[in-house]
């Protein structure tokens, strides 16, 4: 009798609609996932999702904020502490981000999304504040790394949590949410503009730099940490996050799935026809082995074990198309992780060696231009959000192709900069164009990953990006920064990004995430 019910329910699995519905991983789970997607679409966009858009956007802002703080304050802190390895802060930040992305990403698949969502920003804020009181370079690097560890999981969790509550017709908002990344960068630029010219201008050499005349970089940490702390409190007070229905579905907790969605529908006076009986009629989630035993598609027999980690890794390669998609996504994150920071490292020295006058070196001017560039980066994801919904631009994949290629064009054009106004104009344009690609990749990654393994796949992708950031810091230390070769290599990397995007096997436009 159970087989008859299961067989009849499986016949209702959609032929189109859900991105991974045709991958035949677990037909019962596919059927249930389709019902949950129907329920989310039926409820529609409510204030709950708009709150998540803002609160999850904080994670984007904090990730960029922490990464940029270390690059902004490192020169001033180095004058005070006189370290032997001046790029140590870059390595510390990217190492913390790397560990945080993998830890929080895998943790999200093992114990759930809401715990990392609630605690990661709080951890980041505490160590960001403490970093401002660092007595030496080593301690500063430690606190930077710990703060980055807390921030590192946000890009993994924020996209996953938002996506798993988002109606299909509003999935483009996941791309738009990357605008918060640029906002975080702009905030750091404003802090630097306010504090460094006024509180660190007298510190110009190692000999004349003291604690008293170089507190500007410490004020940046204090104010940024306080801002992140306010964000972390808002996350647990403005909205009491329930575990996402798609995570609960992988856990086999059908009753909690229905309760979560019905509670949102009731609160915002929306219809929701999903019932426990409908989910149970689909059968029991899991795969049947040759001995007739059911195994979970989401977990190993022991939750906290290497087998559990292996189960999530294996789930990212459960079919050939999913495996190909996973590899191409990870490769894309490797490419962008090397190309962007490497170009930023080499370009200033290259332009200087060619006699470019890129502007005066007064701190107020430098940080004004920095703020303008980061303000421009906010609008790249806004355009990308519109493009990825349009068939004129071939959806997500086409948006990434266009974003990568036009960024490459402006990178080449930037080598011809010779005046301050040209420098500001090209910097702002590149910030805008690059975030068309970056914002879309951030959204595309969780959209095409299986829900039960979304945190692991996303965490590894971002972790690979951080590894490339560490490598770029090492390369910048030992390589010749006045040659044009790295610029052409970076351009080639952007071409490779465009080709990789064209090879992605899944297109989420017009479909729903699984």
């Amino acid at each position: 009798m159970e087989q008859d019910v299961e067989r009849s329910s499986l016949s209702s699995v959609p032929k189109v609609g859900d991105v991974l519905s045709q991958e035949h991983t677990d037909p019962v789970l596919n059927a249930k996932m389709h019902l949950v997607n129907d329920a989310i679409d039926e409820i529609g966009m409510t204030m709950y999702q708009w709150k998540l858009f803002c609160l999850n956007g904080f994670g984007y802002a904090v990730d960029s904020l922490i990464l940029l703080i270390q690059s902004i304050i490192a020169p001033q802190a180095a004058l005070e502490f006189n370290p032997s390895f001046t790029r140590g802060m870059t390595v510390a930040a990217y190492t913390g981000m790397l560990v945080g992305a993998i830890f929080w990403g895998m943790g999200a698949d093992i114990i759930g999304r809401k715990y990392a969502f609630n605690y990661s920003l709080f951890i980041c804020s505490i160590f960001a504040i403490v970093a401002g009181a660092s007595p030496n370079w080593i301690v500063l690097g430690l606190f930077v790394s710990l703060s980055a560890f807390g921030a590192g999981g946000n890009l993994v969790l924020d996209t996953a949590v938002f996506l798993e509550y988002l109606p299909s017709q509003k999935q483009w908002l996941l791309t738009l949410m990357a605008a918060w990344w640029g906002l975080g960068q702009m905030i750091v630029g404003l802090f630097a503009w306010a504090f460094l010219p006024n509180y660190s201008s007298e510190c110009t050499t190692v000999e004349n730099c003291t604690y008293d005349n170089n507190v500007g970089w410490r004020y940046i940490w204090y104010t940024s940490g306080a801002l992140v702390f306010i964000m972390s409190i808002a996350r647990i007070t403005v909205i009491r996050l329930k575990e996402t229905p798609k995570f609960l579905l992988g856990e086999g907790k059908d009753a909690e799935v229905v309760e979560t969605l019905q509670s949102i529908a009731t609160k915002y006076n929306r219809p929701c026809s999903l019932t426990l009986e409908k989910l149970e009629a689909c059968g029991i989630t899991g795969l049947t082995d040759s001995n007739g035993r059911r195994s979970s598609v989401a977990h190993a027999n022991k939750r906290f074990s290497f087998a559990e980690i292996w189960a999530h890794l294996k789930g990212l390669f459960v079919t050939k198309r999913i495996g190909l998609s996973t590899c191409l996504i990870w490769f894309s994150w490797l490419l962008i992780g090397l190309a962007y920071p490497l170009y930023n490292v080499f370009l200033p020295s290259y332009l200087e060696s060619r006699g470019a006058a890129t502007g005066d070196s007064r701190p107020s001017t430098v940080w004004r231009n920095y703020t303008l560039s980061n303000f421009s980066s906010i609008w790249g994801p806004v355009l990308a959000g519109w493009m990825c919904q349009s068939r004129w631009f071939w959806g997500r994949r086409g948006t990434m192709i266009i974003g990568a290629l036009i960024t490459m064009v402006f990178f080449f054009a930037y080598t011809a900069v010779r005046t301050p106004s040209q420098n500001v104009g090209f910097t702002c344009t590149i910030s805008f164009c690059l975030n068309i690609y970056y914002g879309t990749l951030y959204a595309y990654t969780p959209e095409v990953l299986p829900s039960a393994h979304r945190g692991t796949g996303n965490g590894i992708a971002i972790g690979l990006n951080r590894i490339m950031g560490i490598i770029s810091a090492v390369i910048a230390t030992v390589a010749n920064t006045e040659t044009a070769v790295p610029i052409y290599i970076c351009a080639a990397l952007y071409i490779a990004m465009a080709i990789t995007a064209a090879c992605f096997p899944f297109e989420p436009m017009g479909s729903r995430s699984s």
Side-chain angles (χ1 to χ4, degrees), residues 70-221:
Q70 62 81 21
S71 65
I72 288 173
I73 65 94
Q76 288 300 134
L79 288 175
E80 184 175 334
F81 298 134
N82 193 23
S84 57
F85 182 46
T86 57
R87 298 192 185 274
M89 289 305 106
T90 300
V91 175
Y94 275 102
T95 300
M97 290 283 183
L98 165 63
V99 177
I102 295 175
F103 175 84
W104 295 111
M106 289 186 173
D109 285 341
I110 295 173
I111 63 174
R113 318 309 197 202
K114 70 177 182 179
Y115 296 104
F117 180 85
N118 288 335
Y119 299 135
S120 56
L121 276 191
F122 179 75
I123 292 172
C124 173
S125 66
I126 296 303
F127 288 110
I129 294 172
V130 174
S134 299
N136 57 58
W137 187 255
I138 301 299
V139 173
L140 176 60
L142 173 64
F143 289 141
V144 167
S145 184
L146 291 172
S147 180
F149 168 78
N154 276 280
L155 290 182
V156 181
L157 269 300
D158 294 328
T159 52
V161 169
F162 188 49
L163 176 64
E164 293 181 8
Y165 277 108
L166 200 57
S168 59
Q169 67 272 22
K170 298 293 185 181
Q171 254 178 235
W172 62 272
L173 287 173
L174 198 64
T175 301
L176 177 62
M177 196 167 70
W180 287 88
W181 172 276
L183 182 63
Q185 292 177 317
M186 188 183 73
I187 290 172
V188 177
L190 290 172
F191 285 161
W193 192 3
F195 293 124
L196 291 182
N198 295 316
Y199 298 98
S200 292
S201 59
E202 296 180 8
C203 173
T204 56
T205 65
V206 173
E207 290 73 24
N208 73 352
C209 193
T210 65
Y211 178 96
D212 293 328
N213 68 6
N214 191 32
V215 292
W217 68 268
R218 297 180 186 272
Y219 288 164
I220 293 175
W221 274 117

Side-chain angles (χ1 to χ4, degrees), residues 174-496:
L174 198 64
T175 301
L176 177 62
M177 196 167 70
W180 287 88
W181 172 276
L183 182 63
Q185 292 177 317
M186 188 183 73
I187 290 172
V188 177
L190 290 172
F191 285 161
W193 192 3
F195 293 124
L196 291 182
N198 295 316
Y199 298 98
S200 292
S201 59
E202 296 180 8
C203 173
T204 56
T205 65
V206 173
E207 290 73 24
N208 73 352
C209 193
T210 65
Y211 178 96
D212 293 328
N213 68 6
N214 191 32
V215 292
W217 68 268
R218 297 180 186 272
Y219 288 164
I220 293 175
W221 274 117
Y222 293 146
T223 52
S224 298
L227 178 63
V228 177
F229 181 75
I230 293 171
M231 291 179 178
S232 68
I233 297 301
R235 280 195 166 190
I236 59 176
T237 55
V238 173
I239 190 170
R240 295 190 178 274
L241 181 72
K242 296 177 181 289
E243 190 54 80
T244 65
K246 293 183 180 180
F247 176 81
L248 294 171
L249 204 60
E251 298 276 287
K253 298 178 179 179
D254 293 353
E256 292 185 36
V257 172
V258 175
E259 179 187 355
T260 298
L261 292 176
Q262 288 287 357
S263 66
I264 295 175
T266 301
K267 182 175 181 179
Y268 295 101
N269 194 27
R270 300 294 178 87
C272 181
S273 58
L274 183 67
T275 63
L276 180 59
E277 290 74 21
K278 287 183 179 180
L279 290 178
E280 290 180 341
C282 294
I284 302 173
T285 302
L287 301 177
T288 304
D289 61 21
S290 57
N291 297 321
R293 294 174 298 188
R294 283 274 182 179
S295 61
S296 171
V297 296
H299 299 289
N301 292 329
K302 292 183 178 180
R303 185 66 64 94
F304 299 99
S305 64
F306 287 109
E308 171 76 3
I309 296 174
W310 175 245
H312 290 298
L313 291 173
K314 188 169 63 174
L316 297 169
F317 299 89
V318 69
T319 70
K320 289 183 178 179
R321 288 186 77 206
I322 292 177
L324 174 63
S325 176
T326 299
C327 290
L328 291 176
I329 287 171
W330 288 354
F331 185 56
S332 296
W333 281 98
L334 274 173
L335 292 174
I336 189 66
L338 180 60
Y340 185 54
L342 195 61
Y343 195 91
N344 281 339
V345 164
F346 278 93
L347 187 63
S349 297
Y350 174 82
L351 292 176
E352 185 178 352
S353 69
R354 298 303 190 271
T358 56
D360 65 61
S361 58
R362 289 178 298 174
S364 59
T365 303
V366 169
W367 299 119
R368 180 204 64 189
N369 295 344
Y370 192 85
T371 303
L372 289 173
S373 172
N374 291 323
F375 176 76
S376 301
S377 68
I378 296 174
W379 307 104
V382 176
L383 178 59
W386 174 74
M387 291 173 63
C388 71
Q389 284 294 97
S390 173
R391 297 193 181 278
W392 288 95
F393 300 103
W394 197 30
R396 272 66 158 170
R397 290 177 292 186
T399 302
M400 283 186 277
I401 292 170
I402 293 170
L405 291 180
I406 62 175
T407 302
M408 180 268 295
V409 169
F410 280 106
F411 270 2
F412 269 129
Y414 201 171
T415 61
V417 164
R418 292 295 180 269
T419 67
S421 58
Q422 290 174 351
N423 179 55
V424 174
F426 272 95
T427 300
C428 292
T429 303
I430 288 174
S431 294
F432 175 85
C433 295
L434 176 64
N435 278 278
I436 295 175
Y437 174 86
Y438 230 150
T440 309
L441 181 63
Y442 269 121
Y444 179 87
T445 300
E447 280 187 296
V448 299
L449 292 172
S451 61
H453 318 292
R454 183 169 284 139
T456 299
N458 206 4
I460 292 174
I462 296 173
L464 292 172
N465 179 274
R466 306 314 187 195
I467 290 174
M468 290 298 100
I470 296 172
I471 292 175
S472 69
V474 176
I475 292 174
T477 302
V478 300
N480 179 9
T481 60
E482 296 182 0
T483 174
V485 173
I487 293 176
Y488 293 107
I489 292 176
C490 288
L493 290 174
Y494 276 92
I495 295 173

